[in-house]
Amino acid sequence: MRSLERQVYLTLSDVIDDIPAKHLSVAVSMGADSLALFYIVYNLSKEYKFQLSAIHLNHGLRKESNIEQRAFIKLMDELSVNYYTDNLSVPDELTLDKGKSFELWARNERFKFYQNAKNKLIFDFLLTAHHKDDNVETFFLNLFRGTGLKGLAGIMAKRGFIISPLLNVEKIELYEYLKEINVQFFEDYTNKDNKARRNYIRNVILPDIEKKFSNYKNSIVSCMEEVSFAIDFINSFIPFWYKEEEWDLHLFENLSPYLQRYIMYRKINDLLDFELENINPKRQPSVSKKIVNYALLKIKTLKNGEILQFRNIKIYKSYNRIYFVTSSVKDSSVQGSFSLDKSEFENKKSLVLSFNQYFINIKIKRKIDNIDLNKNFIFEKDKIVDRLIFSKWEKGDFIYLKYGKKKLQDLFVDWKIPRHLKDKILVLKDCKNIIGIFIPFKFANRQNYILSNQYFIDFQSNYEYIIVSVNEKG
């Protein structure tokens, strides 16, 4: 076994348990880096008997792209390696744009391809050929962007099912390996176009640095390791409530200013971000420090209301709480109203209705001994004059509670229900009064079903009862 192959196997062993029992796949572009990784892993698969496959994405951006794809298929067939390949079709609006929007689109499509490949080949891990030189370039690219600590930590060795086992290997070592095993590779001429920021760093900035600091790569890698240690240290101070969608304002304000900014930055990015096990092809770039600082300023100066709306995220401050709401969760505000004549349900034992985001189950029973009052509205059928009405609450609506008549608007203020949650509350009425209100979220230890005192029942009486339960649609 060659020394580079042994080095890669040891790296993989650090992040993968029981390699012989795993299915590893390699992303192969047919360039030097990925071909070197493929042959390293191919030889390791012969030695350690794990399952191997390969994937290739034809970006279709160069005339050589189709040639490289055919060469990939031929190579995999010759080596009897299972593979998956696909082609990208660049949207017309991006064909002339080789800037940020194109880079973002290409990255999104690449990750979507990775997920599709995983679903097709059923592999455990995907190996990519990012090496030490790539990592150093990424460090400088993020430094010039003004990134935070996470960006200065460089490329992660493992991100979900994606592993980069060459981060301690220099590019020249990969060239030497290919020369040793006599393997030809394709050159991507676009890597010489210094209009691209990464290429400018690689071809112009770093060669000048190397003239003065010959050991700069190892120094940068050491710096990135220190940054990673610092991130781990800071993360040890992140409070347990960080992952919740609702924060106590006082607890947040008791954190140091740096930690406030750090966890707000991370929280917003987490909500924007994607899990590599379930890649979202519409992922957007991370939030800027400017946006985070704006949110922190609003938290300090705004009494109640919307702090920030950023892409699919809304942040609210209400009654000394901070709320994070994402639009990926379908809008569950109650819209309009729905009425049901008494004649439509009084002679039926059970009826299920669909209204907005809810399924509403209506039952008529005489015995209610085993019915949970905390999970249903229960009231006498004879108290309903002619219909049941389901609707959102309106100004002027009121309900009778044990301490008297109360406007819903005032009740929600007393209970400190945030503005963005009030529209989710469902009201059940008859033609005259509110029977009850359904609160579809846990809040301040309140019950989900609040029944008006006018409709309280006498369990000793032999009446027919209406039982209403509300469930959110999946």
Side-chain angles (χ1 to χ4, degrees):
M1 181 187 297
R2 296 174 176 85
S3 61
L4 186 54
E5 294 170 358
R6 183 175 299 278
Q7 179 182 345
V8 170
Y9 182 77
L10 291 175
T11 300
L12 290 173
S13 298
D14 287 339
V15 292
I16 301 176
D17 294 327
D18 193 16
I19 291 178
K22 297 297 188 291
H23 177 178
L24 306 185
S25 192
V26 181
V28 181
S29 69
M30 297 305 288
D33 306 339
S34 62
L35 264 180
L37 176 61
F38 171 76
Y39 274 101
I40 289 170
V41 179
Y42 175 77
N43 290 331
L44 290 175
S45 71
K46 299 299 182 184
E47 178 80 15
Y48 294 99
K49 309 302 180 185
F50 57 81
Q51 187 177 353
L52 174 67
S53 62
I55 66 173
H56 174 86
L57 180 61
N58 182 350
H59 290 79
L61 300 176
R62 298 174 289 112
K63 60 183 180 182
E64 296 86 359
S65 295
N66 292 334
I67 299 174
E68 292 166 355
Q69 186 178 40
R70 289 195 294 270
F72 167 79
I73 294 172
K74 181 181 178 183
L75 177 63
M76 296 305 115
D77 287 339
E78 289 175 352
L79 297 177
S80 299
V81 173
N82 197 17
Y83 65 88
Y84 174 73
T85 183
D86 203 353
N87 302 276
L88 284 188
S89 178
V90 183
D92 292 339
E93 63 269 23
L94 291 177
T95 52
L96 299 178
D97 177 10
K98 295 298 187 287
K100 276 187 177 180
S101 58
F102 177 82
E103 291 176 8
L104 175 61
W105 173 84
R107 175 179 173 168
N108 291 338
E109 292 300 310
R110 189 161 54 249
F111 279 116
K112 184 163 64 172
F113 166 71
Y114 289 166
Q115 185 66 64
N116 291 338
K118 188 175 190 297
N119 294 337
K120 292 283 186 179
L121 297 174
I122 319 295
F123 54 73
D124 296 299
F125 297 100
L126 174 66
L127 310 185
T128 62
H130 297 102
H131 46 70
K132 182 183 289 188
D133 298 62
D134 291 325
N135 212 6
V136 171
E137 292 166 12
T138 299
F139 174 86
F140 281 101
L141 191 62
N142 288 335
L143 179 67
F144 297 147
R145 285 172 175 164
T147 187
L149 289 178
K150 186 177 179 181
L152 296 181
I155 300 169
M156 295 176 63
K158 185 173 183 290
R159 295 152 288 152
F161 64 82
I162 300 177
I163 297 175
S164 299
L166 301 178
L167 293 178
N168 291 319
V169 179
E170 292 193 30
K171 187 178 184 71
I172 192 171
E173 296 178 76
L174 301 177
Y175 278 106
E176 290 170 352
Y177 178 82
L178 290 176
K179 184 177 180 180
E180 182 182 350
I181 63 175
N182 194 28
V183 169
Q184 301 297 313
F185 55 87
F186 287 83
E187 291 278 9
D188 184 353
Y189 67 85
T190 62
N191 288 333
K192 297 179 181 179
D193 180 6
N194 291 335
K195 292 180 181 178
R197 291 170 296 175
R198 181 177 287 275
N199 290 348
Y200 183 78
I201 291 172
R202 177 190 302 136
N203 301 328
V204 179
I205 294 178
L206 296 185
D208 280 346
I209 291 177
E210 191 166 25
K211 291 175 184 177
K212 295 290 185 181
F213 307 95
S214 59
N215 195 42
Y216 80 98
K217 292 179 186 177
N218 290 330
S219 298
I220 295 298
V221 169
S222 177
C223 177
M224 288 189 287
E225 290 174 351
E226 290 298 319
V227 172
S228 294
F229 290 144
I231 292 174
D232 289 341
F233 177 73
I234 294 169
N235 286 344
S236 69
F237 290 93
I238 293 179
F240 69 91
W241 42 262
Y242 157 76
K243 292 187 177 181
E244 301 295 330
E245 307 307 308
E246 175 186 334
W247 291 356
D248 185 305
L249 180 62
H250 298 306
L251 293 177
F252 180 74
E253 290 177 334
N254 284 336
L255 301 175
S256 69
Y258 178 82
L259 202 53
Q260 288 181 15
R261 183 161 62 90
Y262 182 79
I263 71 167
M264 181 61 72
Y265 177 84
R266 275 197 53 179
K267 183 65 176 181
I268 297 175
N269 271 313
D270 285 352
L271 294 173
L272 286 171
D273 214 346
F274 62 94
E275 292 292 336
L276 283 170
E277 292 293 345
N278 185 23
I279 290 173
N280 174 9
K282 297 182 180 179
R283 179 183 185 261
Q284 299 291 331
S286 61
V287 65
S288 68
K289 292 179 183 177
K290 183 179 179 181
I291 294 294
V292 173
N293 289 335
Y294 174 80
L296 294 174
L297 178 63
K298 291 292 288 288
I299 288 173
K300 290 179 180 179
T301 58
L302 185 68
K303 184 176 180 180
N304 284 303
E306 185 176 287
I307 294 170
L308 176 70
Q309 180 172 355
F310 181 71
R311 298 196 180 102
N312 65 322
I313 298 170
K314 289 184 179 180
I315 305 176
Y316 297 91
K317 178 181 176 183
S318 181
Y319 303 110
N320 294 318
R321 313 289 291 182
I322 301 172
Y323 297 89
F324 298 86
V325 180
T326 60
S327 60
S328 58
V329 179
K330 64 183 179 183
D331 180 19
S332 56
S333 299
V334 177
Q335 304 292 330
S337 63
F338 177 82
S339 65
L340 185 69
D341 287 342
K342 191 173 182 179
S343 60
E344 296 181 67
F345 64 83
E346 65 178 345
N347 294 320
K348 295 183 179 180
K349 291 184 178 180
S350 181
L351 180 67
V352 177
L353 308 172
S354 175
F355 175 59
N356 283 203
Q357 74 275 20
Y358 299 117
F359 287 121
I360 300 172
N361 193 313
I362 302 175
K363 296 179 180 179
I364 310 294
K365 287 190 173 184
R366 284 191 177 275
K367 293 184 178 182
I368 54 174
D369 297 342
N370 298 321
I371 304 298
D372 191 343
L373 294 175
N374 295 322
K375 296 181 179 180
N376 301 270
F377 291 118
I378 304 176
F379 48 92
E380 294 174 17
K381 188 180 77 170
D382 289 343
K383 286 190 176 181
I384 304 304
V385 178
D386 63 356
R387 70 184 58 197
L388 291 176
I389 302 170
F390 302 90
S391 70
K392 66 184 296 183
W393 72 278
E394 298 175 349
K395 289 184 178 180
D397 281 346
F398 59 87
I399 188 170
Y400 287 93
L401 301 176
K402 60 182 179 181
Y403 46 78
K405 180 178 176 182
K406 187 78 172 183
K407 284 188 176 181
L408 293 189
Q409 185 174 7
D410 296 336
L411 184 66
F412 299 155
V413 171
D414 291 347
W415 288 354
K416 296 183 178 179
I417 295 179
R419 184 183 305 169
H420 72 281
L421 293 179
K422 292 177 183 177
D423 289 339
K424 301 177 187 296
I425 295 173
L426 178 67
V427 174
L428 172 60
K429 307 176 182 178
D430 63 15
C431 61
K432 295 181 179 180
N433 302 306
I434 288 180
I435 299 170
I437 55 177
F438 174 71
I439 302 177
F441 46 84
K442 293 181 180 179
F443 195 81
N445 296 319
R446 301 290 174 187
Q447 295 178 357
N448 296 112
Y449 293 83
I450 310 295
L451 185 69
S452 168
N453 258 39
Q454 289 183 306
Y455 292 85
F456 273 6
I457 58 176
D458 180 1
F459 284 93
Q460 304 303 317
S461 301
N462 188 25
Y463 293 116
E464 281 191 312
Y465 297 99
I466 298 176
I467 305 163
V468 179
S469 62
V470 183
N471 295 288
E472 290 192 83
K473 297 177 181 177

